[in-house]
Amino acid sequence: MSQAAATTTARSTFLWLELTGTCQLACSHCYADSSPAGTHGSMAAEDWRRVIDQAAEMGVRTVQFIGGEPTLHPDLSALVRHALSRALAVEVFTNLVHVTPALWDVFSQPGVSLATSYYSDDPDQHAAITQRRTHARTRANIAEAVRRGIPIRVGVIDLGDGQRAQEAMDELLALGVENIGYDRLRQVGRGVRDRQPGADQLCGRCADGVAAVSPDGAVWPCVFSRWMSIGDVRQQLLREIMSRMSDVRASLAAEGMPTGVRACGPDCAPNGANCYPIHCHPRA
């Protein structure tokens, strides 16, 4: 491996692990185009464990389990425990629509945190965005996470059109949520409105020590830049794929991705606002 490749690999610190494309919701702006019709893809549990092992060996510090809705994946609990056993910090980005007692036990383990999205304090407005009447359940489970002392961050995604985004943030504060972010609509997946997905929709940190792994093993520079597959963890070592990230960033910058921003992470903040990948659940 060249010195440049080694440097790129050494600073890889964060991975999104998109376990599934299945979700109870069908959010009008879902960047992943997730829905009840989605699947868990072709990655088996042993494939995900191998990716986690390789990530730990590379020095990755944090993995975020996403989807679709990761709580719908049958191996989520086991994979969270495996990541913890490899000394990785774990965040689960979930819509918090349905959390079983067993999952609450998993989420309550040291080293695990939660993230979700929220849209409005108005149940009808919330349902119009998620396409399901789940406001009460998501709200109640946010409150339960706070009650249990589980670290949780919530992103309010503003789609415009009179959405009660500020009132949603006020409600979250009243529930005891301390880590609240705000992001705009990203025109990726079902979020496309008046333009096609492209590098100008990115925060500028894609491939900067981060990557996303899809349910089928494809690796993307981030969850938003899913049109650009840069490898397949079923056929290549994660280290080999990540060693090409400098070239990937250069390619994205040439396509119009902003540059000159600091390193990305699970709570990255492009353009001065908190970036919460526009997920299919209460997270975008």
Side-chain angles (χ1 to χ4, degrees):
M1 181 184 299
S2 70
Q3 183 61 42
T7 300
T8 300
T9 301
R11 63 183 176 84
S12 299
T13 59
F14 176 76
L15 286 180
W16 289 277
L17 304 180
E18 188 169 303
L19 295 182
T20 179
T22 300
C23 184
Q24 309 101 318
L25 310 182
C27 298
S28 60
H29 59 293
C30 178
Y31 79 90
D33 203 21
S34 302
S35 74
T39 73
H40 296 324
S42 57
M43 288 279 284
E46 54 266 30
D47 296 319
W48 287 115
R49 285 194 294 270
R50 184 172 63 253
V51 169
I52 290 169
D53 289 340
Q54 292 176 17
E57 290 163 5
M58 287 171 53
V60 169
R61 297 193 297 268
T62 303
V63 293
Q64 184 191 80
F65 292 102
I66 60 173
E69 173 48 41
T71 63
L72 297 179
H73 195 283
D75 298 307
L76 174 63
S77 294
L79 292 173
V80 168
R81 292 189 175 98
H82 185 68
L84 292 174
S85 76
R86 296 306 309 262
L88 293 169
V90 171
E91 184 175 75
V92 180
F93 214 133
T94 165
N95 57 30
L96 289 178
V97 167
H98 180 66
V99 183
T100 66
L103 278 174
W104 278 124
D105 290 341
V106 171
F107 296 163
S108 297
Q109 295 180 91
V112 179
S113 61
L114 296 176
T116 192
S117 295
Y118 205 65
Y119 305 105
S120 176
D121 65 331
D122 181 337
D124 291 336
Q125 194 175 72
H126 196 279
I129 295 170
T130 65
Q131 306 298 302
R132 300 291 187 276
R133 299 201 67 83
T134 55
H135 177 269
R137 280 180 282 170
T138 296
R139 185 184 187 280
N141 283 326
I142 290 173
E144 179 64 12
V146 172
R147 186 190 71 80
R148 288 173 176 261
I150 300 172
I152 182 171
R153 65 184 180 91
V154 183
V156 175
I157 313 302
D158 191 349
L159 280 65
D161 297 325
Q163 182 181 329
R164 292 172 59 85
Q166 182 59 57
E167 289 82 357
M169 289 189 280
D170 293 342
E171 183 174 44
L172 291 167
L173 285 170
L175 290 173
V177 178
E178 297 180 353
N179 191 345
I180 302 170
Y182 173 89
D183 196 17
R184 60 180 172 83
L185 171 70
R186 304 291 176 119
Q187 297 203 41
V188 179
R190 285 199 299 271
V192 170
R193 298 294 187 265
D194 57 2
R195 66 183 71 181
Q196 291 302 306
D200 63 340
Q201 292 295 297
L202 306 176
C203 77
R205 300 173 186 175
C206 293
D208 189 5
V210 305
V213 182
S214 82
D216 290 319
V219 178
W220 305 311
C222 84
V223 289
F224 285 136
S225 52
R226 52 206 306 120
W227 68 86
M228 178 184 280
S229 177
I230 57 176
D232 188 327
V233 294
R234 296 167 302 173
Q235 301 172 9
Q236 303 161 276
L237 293 174
L238 183 62
R239 182 181 296 273
E240 294 174 354
I241 298 171
M242 297 296 285
S243 71
R244 300 193 294 272
M245 287 304 185
S246 293
D247 291 338
V248 172
R249 280 188 59 76
S251 177
L252 286 169
E255 293 178 19
M257 182 181 74
T259 58
V261 293
R262 56 194 175 85
C264 186
D267 55 352
C268 60
N271 304 320
N274 286 334
C275 169
Y276 292 87
I278 297 186
H279 210 109
C280 171
H281 3 286
R283 151 251 197 121

